[in-house]
Amino acid sequence: MAFNQKIDIKIVRVYIVMPVHNEEAVLERSLESLVKQDRCPDQLVVVDDNSTDNSFEIIERYAGNHEWIKSVKLKSGPGHLPGEKVIKAFQAGFEQLDNNFELVCKFDADIVFPSDYLRKLVEEFNRNPKLGVSGGLPMIEINGEWVFEDIASVNHVRGPVKAYRKQCFEAIDGLKASIGWDTIDVLLARFNGWEVKTIPGLYVKHLKPTGKTYSRSARLLQGKALYRMRYGWVISLLALAKGAVKRRQFQFFVNGIQGYWNAWAGNDSFLVSEAEGKFIRSYRWKNILNKFGFRKNH
């Protein structure tokens, strides 16, 4: 789909929504890194999603000290599942915002941001009017050293540090309350003609590596998400195999197949339209063929 929008609005107002669930051990470091930005956000809504620790007390303290921080307490089910739960918390926070933003961010509560993070993020969006989704690169600590968290490509904007231009966010109809939301959003952004990119050299510290707090039942949802994104069997198998290799977990592959089969057999509803699904499969095949050197000559 060709990009046909003229965007000449400079990013001035930046809003952030931060879902929180039992993040007492890391939350203060994350909030402190946002408070110390050399370009602070205009609004930050921190949503406590049924925490059983002291997370809400920390949020309340920061909200009391900074007028641009707002706390929200949300009652939801127990446990910490990826996808649906966190996005419903994000949506609850988003509803507290006014509509005067140009950039909206979904940040996790276990991220420590460098002091120039938001400024560089805004600069990147203002430099490229076609940029719809962007973010930095998460690093994790291994044996005392901070290294890139290679669970995903350096070109994939990760869920804990997502930033969306307002027009792009509206074009993709916000975030889907499902596991795989942070893949669907960038695919739909591209479907609608927006560019998606990470910002080289802009690193954040991810204090709790992805998936460490998820149960086995949560991992079964990955295959279901691939079905609901209309990947089809072949691309799904390739995606699951790649994920298993990166995680060094063959069980990830087995769980994914089971999840996909269950969704197919149960005729689960899709998260994208037929046209969007066709685009997604075409885009995925193009990337797969490119990686194996089968580039088309133009």
Side-chain angles (χ1 to χ4, degrees):
M1 180 172 291
F3 185 92
N4 57 10
Q5 288 182 274
K6 181 181 180 182
I7 304 298
D8 55 8
I9 300 174
K10 292 293 184 182
I11 304 299
V12 176
R13 295 180 65 82
V14 178
Y15 292 179
I16 300 171
V17 178
M18 177 184 285
V20 173
H21 176 73
N22 288 344
E23 302 286 4
E24 176 185 10
V26 295
L27 178 57
E28 190 162 2
R29 289 181 64 185
S30 183
L31 290 175
E32 195 66 21
S33 72
L34 290 174
V35 166
K36 292 182 177 179
Q37 291 291 301
D38 57 21
R39 191 263 187 242
C40 283
D42 296 281
Q43 289 190 38
L44 167 60
V45 178
V46 190
V47 183
D48 180 80
D49 184 12
N50 206 36
S51 293
T52 56
D53 61 5
N54 293 318
S55 292
F56 189 66
E57 287 75 10
I58 296 173
I59 298 168
E60 285 278 87
R61 173 157 50 87
Y62 273 83
N65 292 333
H66 304 276
E67 61 180 10
W68 47 271
I69 300 179
K70 181 175 182 178
S71 66
V72 174
K73 194 166 183 64
L74 180 66
K75 288 291 184 181
S76 67
H80 184 44
L81 293 175
E84 182 175 353
K85 192 172 190 292
V86 69
I87 295 305
K88 285 186 174 180
F90 170 86
Q91 291 168 345
F94 184 78
E95 290 173 358
Q96 302 298 315
L97 300 173
D98 60 44
N99 199 41
N100 296 324
F101 64 92
E102 288 89 37
L103 198 69
V104 62
C105 307
K106 181 267 178 195
F107 288 165
D108 281 4
D110 58 355
I111 300 292
V112 174
F113 300 89
S115 61
D116 59 354
Y117 187 86
L118 288 180
R119 175 171 55 82
K120 288 186 175 179
L121 192 66
V122 168
E123 288 173 354
E124 193 68 29
F125 275 93
N126 283 336
R127 184 162 38 243
N128 181 3
K130 294 184 179 181
L131 183 60
V133 186
S134 191
L137 296 166
M139 309 284 281
I140 57 173
E141 188 175 17
I142 299 179
N143 298 325
E145 294 185 9
W146 290 94
V147 298
F148 175 65
E149 186 180 19
D150 65 353
I151 193 172
S153 162
V154 294
N155 298 315
H156 177 66
V157 184
R158 294 282 307 285
V161 290
K162 292 268 189 171
Y164 307 85
R165 191 185 296 272
K166 182 179 184 179
Q167 295 87 344
C168 176
F169 190 79
E170 292 174 344
I172 67 175
D173 196 26
L175 307 183
K176 310 294 185 185
S178 167
I179 187 172
W181 69 268
D182 59 338
T183 297
I184 298 171
D185 59 348
V186 297
L187 291 170
L188 293 184
R190 291 187 172 103
F191 174 79
N192 283 282
W194 293 95
E195 293 181 11
V196 178
K197 65 169 291 187
T198 54
I199 303 176
L202 188 58
Y203 299 107
V204 302
K205 293 180 178 180
H206 196 183
L207 302 181
K208 290 163 55 178
T210 301
K212 289 296 184 182
T213 60
Y214 295 153
S215 65
R216 180 179 180 276
S217 61
R219 296 189 180 101
L220 291 174
L221 298 175
Q222 186 65 46
K224 180 177 181 178
L226 295 174
Y227 172 83
R228 299 184 71 199
M229 286 189 282
R230 296 182 185 266
Y231 268 39
W233 268 111
V234 177
I235 298 177
S236 295
L237 288 172
L238 292 173
L240 291 169
K242 179 181 177 182
V245 170
K246 278 187 170 291
R247 293 166 175 80
R248 297 182 176 87
Q249 294 177 3
F250 179 71
Q251 192 62 42
F252 178 89
F253 181 74
V254 174
N255 291 342
I257 293 175
Q258 181 182 341
Y260 189 101
W261 173 266
N262 290 347
W264 177 82
N267 198 27
D268 284 13
S269 62
F270 292 110
L271 295 167
V272 298
S273 69
E274 288 187 21
E276 290 166 342
K278 182 178 179 180
F279 171 85
I280 287 170
R281 291 190 299 275
S282 175
Y283 179 82
R284 285 302 190 212
W285 274 121
K286 179 180 177 181
N287 284 346
I288 291 169
L289 294 175
N290 282 346
K291 286 180 180 179
F292 284 95
F294 295 104
R295 293 180 172 87
K296 292 182 179 180
N297 294 320
H298 296 285

